[in-house]
Amino acid sequence: MWRRRETFYYNDFTDFGLYGLSTLAFCHLFKKLYLSALSFLLHMKHNRLIIFILLLAFSCGSMAAQQGTVKGTITSKNSSTPLAGALITDASGSELGKSGVDGSFTVSLDEGKQMLFINMTDYEQAIVSVTVTAGETTEIGAVELPEMAGFMMDIGSVSIMEGFSEDGFETQSIHGVLSASADIFMSTAAYTFGQVMYRKRGYDNNYQNVSLNGFVVNDIESGAPYWSNWGGLNDVMRSSVVSSGPEPIGFLFEPVGGATRINTRASVYRSGIRAVYSRSNRTYPNRAMLTYSTGLLNSNWAVTGSYSRRWGEQGYKEGTFYDANSFFLSVEKKINSRHSLNLTALDAMYRRGVGGGATQEVYDLAGDNYYNPYWGYQDGEVRSARVRSSNKPLLTLAHIWKPSDKLDIQTTAGYWFGKGGYTALNWYDVLDPRPDYYRKLPGYFYDESDIDRITDAWQSDPSVSHIDWDHFYYANSKNIYTVYNEGGVEGNSLTGNRSKYIIEDRRNDLSQFQFNSRASWNIASGMNLTGGLLVDIYRGHNFNVISDLLGGDYWLDVDQFAERDYPNNPEAYQNDLNNPDNAVTEGETFGNSYYAFQRGAILWGTGTYTGNRYKLYLSAHAKYTAMWREGLMRKGLFPDNSFGESERLDFPTWGVKAGGDYRFTGRHMIIFNTLITTNPPLFRNSFLSPRTRNTLTPELREEMIFSGDVSYVLRSPVVTGRMTAYYTRFMNQTEVTSFYHDEWRTLVNYAMTGIDKENYGIEAGAEIGITSELTVNAVASLGQYLWISNPDITITQDNNSQVLSKEEVWIQYFRQSGTPQTALALGIEYNSSRFWWAGITGSYYDNIYLDFNPVTRTKDDTGYYPYWDYQQKADPGFLVDIFVGKSWRIDDVYVTLSANLSNVLDNRTVITGGYEQYRYDPERPDLFQPRVYYANGFNYFINLSIRY
Amino acid sequence: MKEEQIMEKIRCIYRLIAVVTLLLFAVSCSDNNETPPPEKLFIPGEIVTVQQVRALYADQLAISDYTQRHPVEIVNDWALLGVITASDKEDGNFYKEAYIEDATGGLRLVFEATSGIYIGDSVIVNVKGLWLGDYGNFWQLGGVPYYQQDGTVRVGGMNMDKQCLKLSIGNPTYPAAVTITQARSSAYLGRLVRFDGVQFTDAMTGRTWANAVDQVTENRTLEDCDSKTIIVRTSGYSAAAGELLPSGNGSITGIVTIFNGTYQFLVRDFDEVDMTGTRCGVVEQPLGTPVETLSEDFEGFGDDDDIYISGWQNIATAGGRIWLAQVYSSNSYAQATGYYSNLASMVTWLITRPVTISSQKVLTFQTAKAYWAHTGTNFPMEVLASTNYNGNDIAAATWTPLTAVMAQQSDPDHTFINSGNVNLPVAAGKSAVIAFKYMGSDTESTSYRIDNIAVTAAGK
């Protein structure tokens, strides 16, 4: 199953395979040019730098070209009705105008042969080629927009794969490209590559920014936006602007991974009702959505509401129930032609069973690469131990103000609050109850007879191969125990059944206020200045709650690891000295509890100049971030360093970027972006062990990012496509992880600092129109995502504050994990004029690396790396997807039925990623094999939508 | 006409909403199954004795080559009823095990995890489906056996919750008060016993219970005043592993086991170790009241007599050897030596009766050495004075070295050398003791001798 790399040298790119030599040479050349330009910029004195940039921006200022006018009407191909609000752009994506109520439009264009792009939500893009004569009006007549094929219409049909990292953080595959983007690369990345946890350009999730009506919804502590926060509200999240990289989309300093601006103003929705029912075997079996929108009423009010329910006993894996209700309400009042107010409230409430990864030994034992260790039978019925839940309402109030035709000011205040978390088993005085615990697997034993015995039990007894809930209740119901001086009260003794197994809820609740104001000012023809201010006040509350005592009377809140190390020191093993020997019951907090505080302010601005054949932008931001921890428990092991507020961390950070495009003709264009920025470390990486104490990560620094990309865009009537080369360097990153160290028998914190990474490669996508109905598309993402430094590691253990060692992790030129570094797709799509469509896409993935274990790549006491090994790599994979759909119009009712059939060849051997376990036994390395995840086998998503 | 269309449209909307609502509530049961299962009761088997259970393994234990033995599965629907006398839940001296005892004996229970049962728990153990095996000829009751890496078979750990029911908790346990000789018999194997009047042997002086640094289990020797010994075995993970063994004599409570013919004793709770009394054979030596002068020539002591002088003290603080009398050519003197002591460290003090020091007093004595074995700058003896020694606690007193001429390595063996006049400190209304402190070991075993100790007033 595993392919290990035999050698790994710095300049060894033989592994690239499909790249080809020329691509490689280009990559290198680009990287060199970029770095030298960067060093040139950095070595200039400040004032010179500013002058240089200003020159760059305005040097070729006012070469105004002769212009002509183009007129036409936009109609729906399916219904022949005029379409209002369609967006008309030129080849560079600059907005020229919008269609009126009757579908008509008039736009001004430079003379010569030009391309017009017409975009509208739910409709396919239309491209019109027109010859513009200076000073004259060209009539192009009716432009028909076909309704978009069903598979492109629905974000919910995109597979959002979810995994867990070793320390329980949520991971997800989709990277801010969830819009029906006209860019074939972007849509393929979302719809096809999504099923293998593809991450665009290999960037981590926190390098993109998602805002909802101006409220940035990235999670503060981990930096990533979680799509589950508005899951099920697909029909009201479609009006969005997406950038694939740092190019400006008019809100904040768009980060290196791009930005998504979702607009939920009630007036943007088309009036009418829309109902959707979906059936699937992916994340959930059933989904129903109902959306109603008034459009802008005569009273100048607009209201849109949406409700959705997603439910079912099981998703793709066993033991993954789904129970979600999502609500959305947006109310807008247009006060006058200059002022509008919008209030949006949404809440995606869910509870669902999560599927977990396992080792290949376990998958083989279970005979199923989709075995899920998180569930078992309780009285004959399936119960999941890992239930993720969320109830986080978001309220935003936006004021949209147009003081003049040239000025546009939008101000948003928002409040986000509520609770989220995931449950997990906890246990005391019993063998690890997880079915895939290594001592319960055949691989732990030496003799054939034992191996056969365990294998048989695994394959015949579900109480062995799954969680044995009934036994938990049995054990808890008869474990009589007396707690003396309960709660620290002298003489207060409590006798009852002390639970040995419990379900705890590891909560992360939030309370976040955000205020931002942005102004966009068209200074003069072609010149725009957009900027604003954002203030963010966040408090997260991380704590454990007893979710289910499983038949016992109480759980005693002590630290088991410390109890074993200090059996005669009852002070040391208290989780909370302020409340010692606490017998907790359901709903009570225990284990750990702390606030995460973070406050930030951002000042940002972007200047854009659009000339005849080119566009340039210059963008900058300054950001201030303060963060601190407040412990709500006094931990026995750290009595002086766990309760109360930590030191306050302050990080001033900044960023500058510049870029633009140049049009050779309307059909050929070059786009480039360059960026330098610093970022504060993430909260979760700023503390060594935030669950237990206030200790800061040593040598904490701001990270720095250099990035650049250049694209060639072709937009001919037959072929449209884009090819981009990119290079990004991340420096001074910090990562903190905690895990149980087998040799030392304690929880250990690994703080890696001085992490440098390099991500570079090429992404290309092309669509070729064979006939008006038949299209072929090809997409390639060829990347090299590397760790390029040997980070410093500080190792501390949780049962004292002593630094165990400070070493180097020998991982230079290891690959980043969690995404295929090579992804290719080839598809054919047929769009019949009789309102049906079908397509088939084949995709190929390679260079999928597993996350490495730093423990085995760290120097031991004698200065050697006795357990060092090459990084593990998964086999390449090939998947085929099919989509079909048809739509009908019955009077005013539109009915669309579509099916998205993924992995129709039912390939069950494609590993999407995984990680080496941190537990490591040098004597028997096979005991702790890596945990891996497989791409789903055949799966489907069938969607029926009805619209009035 | 238009109105009709609108009405039709509204009807359509209502129909749709009705259909959707139906869909949502008719098919939407999808919760996690969190309803508790019906309660399951513990059904005990027929109560039998520890002896009856042990008997099932008698045939295997009779096989002298332990590699030929195999654990025996218990097929009878039997149960043990007893009290837990030792458990891994106390002090960490046991790991994944506990001891149950009934009127007929004790048995080691081995578990798949920390036992979760406590000293004083009264329990029923269903033994059907469990396996009996042995470790170094000592029975253990556990789960399904498995092969270890070296090919030997061993009983696995049982699941406590499946096999045991706690009837009540916090019951008193009654150790049998026995002698070491009694305990070293099969009658007490696996049982909780208490030894009284025992002490760790002299060779154990200065050692810890176990190796806490590397977490290694260690054996220590316990003796009674008849020099009968038993091994005390302590885990490197136990709470007391890093603590010094008690130096005195007293009582200790624990479990008697055997390993390949050697009896062992395992402490179950270090709070039950009470060994602060006077060691075997040690004579009470109350410090005398202050006197004006001293004169001691050791005449009257026979060869190898312990030197006990009224008002004086002769105390070993390390190693248990004290100053002995020697007679050569009709002259008696005091000698301390590490020769053939087998001691890692030997420290012994001869402390004089206090003398008043309101006026200047002068000390004189003679020293001789033989068979020099001290190395480097190590010197066998120090002469010290203290004005605040209370007669009990040597360590707490302040000791001031006195400078005197003493027999050196280069001096001839067996020849006494005069110390010269040694001035004692002067302090109004106070008195001082003088200590002759020998420091040696089995290797640094120089014999050192003193004679003719005298304290007189200055100038007389």
Side-chain angles (χ1 to χ4, degrees):
Chain A
M1 184 51 60
W2 298 106
R3 232 176 346 126
R4 262 173 209 211
R5 305 211 44 207
E6 298 303 321
T7 51
F8 201 105
Y9 302 113
Y10 176 30
N11 282 319
D12 177 9
F13 293 106
T14 51
D15 196 53
F16 264 59
L18 284 152
Y19 276 39
L21 266 176
S22 56
T23 323
L24 276 180
F26 177 64
C27 251
H28 264 298
L29 182 68
F30 177 70
K31 191 171 123 186
K32 274 189 184 152
L33 276 173
Y34 175 68
L35 282 176
S36 55
L38 208 64
S39 66
F40 170 68
L41 279 176
L42 283 174
H43 284 97
M44 286 172 87
K45 287 191 173 160
H46 271 299
N47 47 357
R48 280 208 200 160
L49 178 68
I50 291 162
I51 291 167
F52 174 79
I53 291 167
L54 286 175
L55 280 175
L56 193 76
F58 299 107
S59 58
C60 17
S62 50
M63 281 193 290
Q66 299 281 320
Q67 289 207 318
T69 307
V70 177
K71 273 187 162 176
T73 311
I74 298 166
T75 59
S76 160
K77 189 174 178 182
N78 304 45
S79 61
S80 301
T81 49
L83 294 175
L87 183 69
I88 298 116
T89 64
D90 66 8
S92 70
S94 301
E95 181 180 335
L96 300 172
K98 278 185 179 168
S99 60
V101 186
D102 58 352
S104 68
F105 67 89
T106 308
V107 294
S108 295
L109 276 170
D110 296 338
E111 64 177 333
K113 192 147 186 182
Q114 296 284 5
M115 307 275 289
L116 284 184
F117 294 82
I118 296 150
N119 290 295
M120 186 158 173
T121 314
D122 296 345
Y123 289 86
E124 298 262 18
Q125 186 183 51
I127 304 170
V128 182
S129 184
V130 58
T131 307
V132 181
T133 317
E136 289 185 19
T137 298
T138 312
E139 183 68 54
I140 58 168
V143 180
E144 289 190 326
L145 295 188
E147 276 214 55
M148 202 173 266
F151 88 104
M152 291 291 273
M153 289 167 64
D154 186 31
I155 292 166
S157 69
V158 175
S159 309
I160 296 185
M161 299 278 292
E162 191 196 59
F164 274 94
S165 55
E166 178 107 345
D167 46 5
F169 286 109
E170 196 175 1
T171 61
Q172 61 185 11
S173 65
I174 297 301
H175 217 223
V177 285
L178 286 184
S179 76
S181 166
D183 185 297
I184 184 66
F185 183 90
M186 299 267 279
S187 56
T188 305
Y191 291 98
T192 305
F193 298 161
Q195 54 188 328
V196 295
M197 307 281 282
Y198 175 80
R199 291 205 318 265
K200 221 170 82 61
R201 298 184 188 178
Y203 298 150
D204 287 334
N205 282 321
N206 53 302
Y207 296 110
Q208 58 168 327
N209 168 307
V210 177
S211 61
L212 229 151
N213 252 8
F215 191 102
V216 179
V217 288
N218 288 47
D219 176 62
I220 292 289
E221 289 173 52
S222 67
Y226 293 112
W227 300 91
S228 54
N229 285 325
W230 54 95
L233 300 174
N234 312 53
D235 279 341
V236 288
M237 296 291 157
R238 264 186 266 167
S239 174
S240 60
V241 188
V242 177
S243 75
S244 63
E247 60 271 17
I249 54 169
F251 186 55
L252 294 174
F253 185 83
E254 296 78 4
V256 67
T260 302
R261 283 174 70 186
I262 300 171
N263 181 1
T264 62
R265 287 175 62 183
S267 62
V268 304
Y269 302 102
R270 188 172 5 181
S271 72
I273 196 161
R274 184 178 157 103
V276 175
Y277 174 74
S278 314
R279 181 94 197 153
S280 175
N281 67 344
R282 290 180 185 166
T283 324
Y284 43 78
N286 304 284
R287 180 182 67 175
M289 303 194 287
L290 190 63
T291 303
Y292 177 71
S293 187
T294 61
L296 188 61
L297 298 169
N298 290 337
S299 56
N300 280 332
W301 284 87
V303 179
T304 297
S306 185
Y307 166 72
S308 95
R309 173 154 174 74
R310 291 163 292 160
W311 74 98
E313 297 286 333
Q314 185 187 319
Y316 193 80
K317 285 185 166 192
E318 286 181 295
T320 54
F321 78 98
Y322 211 101
D323 181 14
N325 290 289
S326 302
F327 304 91
F328 173 90
L329 182 69
S330 176
V331 180
E332 181 165 349
K333 168 70 178 171
K334 190 175 170 188
I335 296 163
N336 56 40
S337 61
R338 301 219 180 271
H339 291 274
S340 286
L341 272 179
N342 176 260
L343 177 73
T344 298
L346 65 90
D347 190 7
M349 296 156 59
Y350 64 82
R351 260 170 63 81
R352 61 196 179 82
V354 176
T359 64
Q360 195 58 46
E361 180 189 8
V362 171
Y363 288 139
D364 291 345
L365 199 56
D368 181 6
N369 283 344
Y370 304 100
Y371 167 80
N372 175 11
Y374 289 151
W375 70 275
Y377 291 106
Q378 177 164 320
D379 198 20
E381 281 185 61
V382 174
R383 175 172 184 179
S384 170
R386 183 60 62 104
V387 177
R388 190 172 271 285
S389 65
S390 176
N391 181 2
K392 296 177 177 172
L394 171 64
L395 305 170
T396 62
L397 180 65
H399 173 225
I400 302 105
W401 180 28
K402 280 188 182 250
S404 79
D405 289 345
K406 294 189 168 177
L407 190 60
D408 170 7
I409 297 172
Q410 184 169 334
T411 305
T412 304
Y415 184 57
W416 199 15
F417 63 101
K419 55 188 185 179
Y422 67 92
T423 65
L425 275 171
N426 200 345
W427 56 91
Y428 181 79
D429 269 0
V430 289
L431 187 63
D432 191 327
R434 296 173 295 183
D436 58 342
Y437 182 57
Y438 74 103
R439 284 166 178 267
K440 296 176 171 178
L441 298 177
Y444 178 66
F445 295 89
Y446 296 94
D447 193 83
E448 245 0 273
S449 63
D450 290 326
I451 291 167
D452 289 348
R453 174 168 55 85
I454 303 291
T455 306
D456 278 354
W458 247 83
Q459 290 172 349
S460 61
D461 185 353
S463 74
V464 171
S465 54
H466 299 290
I467 290 173
D468 190 4
W469 292 103
D470 292 344
H471 175 68
F472 298 171
Y473 279 89
Y474 180 55
N476 288 349
S477 71
K478 60 186 193 61
N479 185 38
I480 188 160
Y481 182 83
T482 300
V483 184
Y484 295 100
N485 305 327
E486 195 272 322
V489 181
E490 200 70 38
N492 185 18
S493 63
L494 172 82
T495 300
N497 284 319
R498 176 178 177 181
S499 279
K500 305 183 99 174
Y501 304 88
I502 55 161
I503 292 289
E504 65 181 34
D505 197 359
R506 299 175 182 169
R507 288 271 288 280
N508 172 226
D509 292 2
L510 92 168
S511 168
Q512 185 177 11
F513 173 80
Q514 231 177 66
F515 172 86
N516 88 72
S517 190
R518 72 175 273 280
S520 180
W521 179 31
N522 291 319
I523 304 166
S525 166
M527 280 177 76
N528 174 281
L529 200 59
T530 302
L533 171 77
L534 184 141
V535 175
D536 191 14
I537 298 171
Y538 172 88
R539 190 192 78 184
H541 186 193
N542 296 286
F543 60 109
N544 280 2
V545 158
I546 304 276
S547 173
D548 194 338
L549 287 167
L550 303 176
D553 297 326
Y554 63 89
W555 169 264
L556 189 60
D557 186 19
V558 292
D559 179 341
Q560 301 183 44
F561 297 113
E563 188 184 20
R564 204 192 41 213
D565 290 340
Y566 306 99
N568 280 8
N569 185 353
E571 293 260 301
Y573 59 72
Q574 292 301 329
N575 275 329
D576 187 5
L577 284 172
N578 296 338
N579 198 358
D581 294 311
N582 191 14
V584 283
T585 55
E586 283 169 23
E588 291 187 322
T589 301
F590 76 106
N592 65 74
S593 178
Y594 68 95
Y595 285 136
F597 287 99
Q598 185 166 319
R599 288 180 189 166
I602 305 170
L603 194 63
W604 62 278
T606 300
T608 317
Y609 179 77
T610 310
N612 184 14
R613 284 180 170 277
Y614 64 90
K615 187 166 98 180
L616 286 171
Y617 72 83
L618 180 67
S619 220
H621 79 155
K623 184 175 174 181
Y624 170 75
T625 310
M627 58 177 92
W628 66 97
R629 173 191 186 272
E630 184 186 344
L632 302 175
M633 288 189 172
R634 190 184 296 280
K635 181 127 180 110
L637 291 171
F638 309 102
D640 304 323
N641 192 25
S642 50
F643 184 73
E645 291 194 359
S646 73
E647 188 185 323
R648 192 176 143 128
L649 291 162
D650 296 290
F651 297 101
T653 52
W654 54 272
V656 178
K657 62 184 176 179
D661 58 57
Y662 183 81
R663 279 151 277 159
F664 297 101
T665 70
R667 293 182 176 185
H668 304 277
M669 177 164 67
I670 280 186
I671 305 174
F672 74 99
N673 296 291
T674 56
L675 169 145
I676 313 175
T677 186
T678 62
N679 286 327
L682 294 171
F683 186 93
R684 74 178 198 194
N685 292 327
S686 299
F687 294 88
L688 259 191
S689 174
R691 275 166 231 201
T692 60
R693 58 192 188 270
N694 287 337
T695 310
L696 303 178
T697 305
E699 291 161 47
L700 202 57
R701 289 170 70 181
E702 294 93 351
E703 77 168 329
M704 182 171 241
I705 303 172
F706 292 151
S707 184
D709 62 70
V710 58
S711 307
Y712 166 70
V713 178
L714 172 67
R715 282 173 171 168
S716 81
V718 178
V719 182
T720 58
R722 173 172 68 88
M723 181 161 171
T724 302
Y726 57 91
Y727 171 82
T728 305
R729 187 182 174 115
F730 300 92
M731 289 177 295
N732 296 327
Q733 287 184 331
T734 302
E735 264 181 36
V736 175
T737 39
S738 296
F739 62 96
Y740 184 81
H741 197 293
D742 237 32
E743 262 179 278
W744 299 336
R745 294 199 186 189
T746 177
L747 276 172
V748 164
N749 310 301
Y750 262 54
M752 277 200 276
T753 53
I755 301 169
D756 293 353
K757 291 176 181 167
E758 221 172 46
N759 294 38
Y760 55 90
I762 289 196
E763 51 188 38
E767 255 183 315
I768 304 146
I770 308 288
T771 70
S772 63
E773 295 179 324
L774 192 66
T775 319
V776 171
N777 56 64
V779 162
S781 167
L782 308 170
Q784 178 107 314
Y785 315 138
L786 302 167
W787 297 72
I788 55 162
S789 64
N790 286 328
D792 291 328
I793 197 159
T794 306
I795 307 167
T796 52
Q797 59 185 41
D798 254 12
N799 51 13
N800 63 45
S801 49
Q802 189 189 331
V803 174
L804 291 175
S805 67
K806 246 185 109 155
E807 296 295 349
E808 240 184 12
V809 195
W810 197 259
I811 51 146
Q812 199 175 21
Y813 309 120
F814 270 35
R815 302 286 197 109
Q816 295 170 37
S817 62
T819 178
Q821 304 205 0
T822 299
L824 307 170
L826 185 66
I828 302 176
E829 193 183 323
Y830 184 80
N831 263 304
S832 165
S833 54
R834 304 184 68 175
F835 312 119
W836 66 273
W837 60 89
I840 182 165
T841 306
S843 52
Y844 173 85
Y845 309 95
D846 199 0
N847 293 315
I848 302 160
Y849 289 84
L850 301 193
D851 206 358
F852 61 86
N853 173 6
V855 178
T856 54
R857 276 84 178 186
T858 304
K859 235 185 246 174
D860 70 1
D861 301 338
T862 56
Y864 292 100
Y865 296 87
Y867 313 129
W868 194 93
D869 201 356
Y870 295 100
Q871 193 175 12
Q872 300 194 49
K873 182 182 176 185
D875 289 336
F878 179 69
L879 300 175
V880 176
D881 305 330
I882 287 176
F883 59 90
V884 291
K886 174 147 178 64
S887 66
W888 298 268
R889 180 187 169 196
I890 307 155
D891 295 329
D892 278 350
V893 182
Y894 298 87
V895 177
T896 306
L897 181 64
S898 65
N900 194 345
L901 313 173
S902 296
N903 193 0
V904 291
L905 300 180
D906 198 23
N907 182 351
R908 291 167 164 261
T909 60
V910 183
I911 287 176
T912 61
Y915 56 91
E916 292 177 359
Q917 297 190 58
Y918 281 13
R919 281 189 106 156
Y920 185 76
D921 183 343
E923 306 288 322
R924 303 180 69 187
D926 283 347
L927 277 189
F928 302 106
Q929 293 178 5
R931 287 183 187 269
V932 292
Y933 297 87
Y934 281 88
N936 287 347
F938 169 70
N939 63 91
Y940 61 88
F941 197 96
I942 297 165
N943 210 47
L944 173 70
S945 88
I946 300 165
R947 202 185 74 215
Y948 290 92
Chain B
M1 184 63 188
K2 204 175 176 195
E3 204 165 298
E4 219 170 86
Q5 276 180 347
I6 291 169
M7 287 308 288
E8 178 60 28
K9 206 170 180 174
I10 289 169
R11 273 197 292 275
C12 264
I13 291 170
Y14 281 137
R15 243 175 272 151
L16 183 85
I17 291 171
V19 167
V20 169
T21 315
L22 218 72
L23 270 172
L24 297 192
F25 296 103
V27 262
S28 63
C29 55
S30 59
D31 210 14
N32 206 21
N33 170 37
E34 291 168 9
T35 321
E39 202 177 335
K40 190 173 135 192
L41 294 174
F42 182 90
I43 300 159
E46 182 199 341
I47 304 292
V48 297
T49 65
V50 166
Q51 287 295 359
Q52 279 173 286
V53 171
R54 278 185 190 170
L56 299 174
Y57 194 67
D59 291 348
Q60 292 293 326
L61 213 51
I63 303 169
S64 57
D65 178 1
Y66 74 93
T67 61
Q68 299 302 310
R69 297 177 193 157
H70 195 278
V72 172
E73 184 177 8
I74 302 175
V75 292
N76 310 355
D77 192 4
W78 282 0
L80 289 171
L81 172 60
V83 68
I84 299 300
T85 52
S87 145
D88 53 359
K89 292 303 296 179
E90 185 72 52
D91 284 356
N93 200 21
F94 301 93
Y95 186 57
K96 296 183 180 177
E97 60 185 5
Y99 287 79
I100 186 175
E101 190 172 320
D102 68 6
T104 67
L107 200 58
R108 178 197 281 158
L109 309 174
V110 294
F111 298 95
E112 63 182 13
T114 316
S115 72
I117 44 181
Y118 295 76
I119 293 171
D121 286 355
S122 171
V123 294
I124 293 182
V125 184
N126 275 344
V127 297
K128 186 183 179 183
L130 294 183
W131 294 69
L132 266 171
D134 75 279
Y135 183 66
N137 290 355
F138 188 72
W139 307 273
Q140 45 191 16
L141 183 64
V144 182
Y146 65 96
Y147 287 89
Q148 300 181 99
Q149 193 172 11
D150 61 7
T152 58
V153 69
R154 191 168 187 176
V155 295
M158 71 172 97
N159 180 312
M160 193 284 267
D161 301 299
K162 282 187 176 151
Q163 303 300 138
C164 308
L165 177 69
K166 294 184 193 178
L167 296 173
S168 62
I169 60 175
N171 300 294
T173 52
Y174 300 104
V178 296
T179 64
I180 287 177
T181 310
Q182 286 173 315
R184 295 178 57 159
S185 71
S186 60
Y188 287 98
L189 274 182
R191 292 188 64 175
L192 178 69
V193 303
R194 190 184 75 235
F195 299 130
D196 294 311
V198 290
Q199 61 192 25
F200 286 98
T201 60
D202 291 345
M204 301 294 117
T205 309
R207 300 206 192 175
T208 56
W209 287 88
N211 180 348
V213 178
D214 300 321
Q215 294 171 324
V216 177
T217 302
E218 299 277 1
N219 291 334
R220 304 291 183 235
T221 310
L222 189 76
E223 63 178 1
D224 59 17
C225 291
D226 297 328
S227 298
K228 302 296 182 203
T229 61
I230 190 166
I231 284 171
V232 175
R233 189 168 169 81
T234 302
S235 161
Y237 288 100
S238 71
E243 290 175 19
L244 285 174
L245 292 169
S247 57
N249 184 296
S251 68
I252 187 168
T253 303
I255 305 287
V256 178
T257 71
I258 194 166
F259 183 75
N260 290 340
T262 305
Y263 284 90
Q264 301 176 334
F265 181 85
L266 305 168
V267 174
R268 62 164 186 172
D269 177 352
F270 289 93
D271 289 345
E272 293 175 338
V273 177
D274 180 15
M275 296 164 73
T276 53
T278 309
R279 292 176 68 85
C280 303
V282 173
V283 175
E284 292 294 320
Q285 304 177 71
L287 196 66
T289 51
V291 290
E292 287 300 312
T293 60
L294 280 176
S295 174
E296 180 57 57
D297 58 9
F298 302 104
E299 298 309 320
F301 283 104
D303 222 15
D304 286 340
D305 284 354
D306 293 335
I307 291 178
Y308 292 125
I309 302 163
S310 175
W312 291 43
Q313 290 182 330
N314 185 355
I315 296 169
T317 54
R321 269 199 188 188
I322 55 173
W323 290 88
L324 298 181
Q326 297 287 306
V327 184
Y328 184 76
S329 295
S330 316
N331 177 35
S332 291
Y333 52 88
Q335 172 175 287
T337 178
Y339 188 63
Y340 264 107
S341 67
N342 203 25
L343 293 173
S345 168
M346 171 183 169
V347 179
T348 187
W349 301 62
L350 184 63
I351 301 171
T352 66
R353 187 169 184 167
V355 285
T356 58
I357 51 169
S358 296
S359 59
Q360 181 67 60
K361 297 287 172 67
V362 175
L363 165 72
T364 56
F365 58 98
Q366 289 181 309
T367 55
K369 60 94 185 168
Y371 318 116
W372 192 274
H374 278 65
T375 56
T377 55
N378 291 347
F379 197 78
M381 193 176 80
E382 274 185 294
V383 183
L384 306 159
S386 174
T387 57
N388 64 354
Y389 176 57
N390 63 6
N392 293 315
D393 196 345
I394 291 175
T398 311
W399 295 97
T400 312
L402 300 177
T403 309
V405 179
M406 292 195 275
Q408 303 292 314
Q409 185 176 6
S410 53
D411 290 322
D413 277 6
H414 316 300
T415 306
F416 279 99
I417 292 170
N418 290 323
S419 65
N421 287 344
V422 180
N423 282 340
L424 296 184
V426 180
K430 288 203 167 179
S431 62
V433 294
I434 297 143
F436 299 88
K437 180 187 177 191
Y438 176 85
M439 295 152 295
S441 68
D442 190 49
T443 51
E444 300 210 312
S445 59
T446 312
S447 296
Y448 214 78
R449 299 160 182 175
I450 30 180
D451 202 357
N452 299 322
I453 301 165
V455 175
T456 53
K460 288 192 177 165

